[in-house]
Amino acid sequence: MRASRGVQLVADCHIDELTRRDFEAIVVPGGLPGSEVIRDTPLAIVLLKEQAALGRWRAAICAAPVVVLQHHALLASALVTCHPGFQPQLPASQLSHERVVRDEAHRLITSQGPGSAIEFALELVRVLRGDELAATVAGPMVLP
């Protein structure tokens, strides 16, 4: 698959080949048309719904919080963010303008887009492996 900016992505396996479903987190990439493809892939939505029902972490960046999660009623009442171009589609009561939002109660992390991707990734490391490892990963990156 080729991403919106021409980056070639190669999956480790096809979604139909997934044999286990006990994921610590499912992360939905953003961008168009990728988010639309995920939105329209029934098995991807089944996996996201199972993840939410089990109270496990989900995350989405850029367009994906709206195009995938909101479209399939997977936001519940979580506080979220997304790409500024999609923010008007979110209910004002749920919208945050923060670059990365972690809603602990809903086990959901959302982020605005490519410019916040490192912060998003570090938040995933933080919730899955702890503050210490997140700091270890962030250190050599010379982040502001």
Side-chain angles (χ1 to χ4, degrees), residues 71-125:
H71 179 84
H72 288 285
L74 287 165
L75 292 179
S77 60
L79 185 64
V80 296
T81 194
C82 64
H83 189 278
F86 289 88
Q87 288 178 357
Q89 297 177 50
L90 290 169
S93 62
Q94 288 182 258
L95 175 62
S96 169
H97 293 283
E98 296 294 319
R99 293 167 55 83
V100 176
V101 175
R102 176 169 114 187
D103 186 307
E104 192 79 35
H106 293 92
R107 296 285 183 130
L108 180 63
I109 300 168
T110 53
S111 187
Q112 291 187 352
S116 62
I118 291 176
E119 296 158 73
F120 177 65
L122 289 171
E123 191 63 23
L124 285 162
V125 173

Side-chain angles (χ1 to χ4, degrees), residues 23-94:
F23 307 109
E24 286 185 73
I26 295 178
V27 182
V28 185
L32 296 176
S35 290
E36 295 165 329
V37 170
I38 294 167
R39 175 197 66 205
D40 299 337
T41 302
L43 183 52
I45 304 312
V46 166
L47 293 172
L48 284 163
K49 287 181 177 182
E50 287 176 359
Q51 192 79 353
L54 292 168
R56 293 184 181 152
W57 284 103
R58 296 164 296 129
I61 189 169
C62 196
V66 169
V67 174
V68 179
L69 301 183
Q70 183 184 44
H71 179 84
H72 288 285
L74 287 165
L75 292 179
S77 60
L79 185 64
V80 296
T81 194
C82 64
H83 189 278
F86 289 88
Q87 288 178 357
Q89 297 177 50
L90 290 169
S93 62
Q94 288 182 258

Side-chain angles (χ1 to χ4, degrees), residues 125-126 129-139:
V125 173
R126 189 171 289 107
R129 295 294 179 263
D131 292 334
E132 188 175 317
L133 184 58
T136 300
V137 170

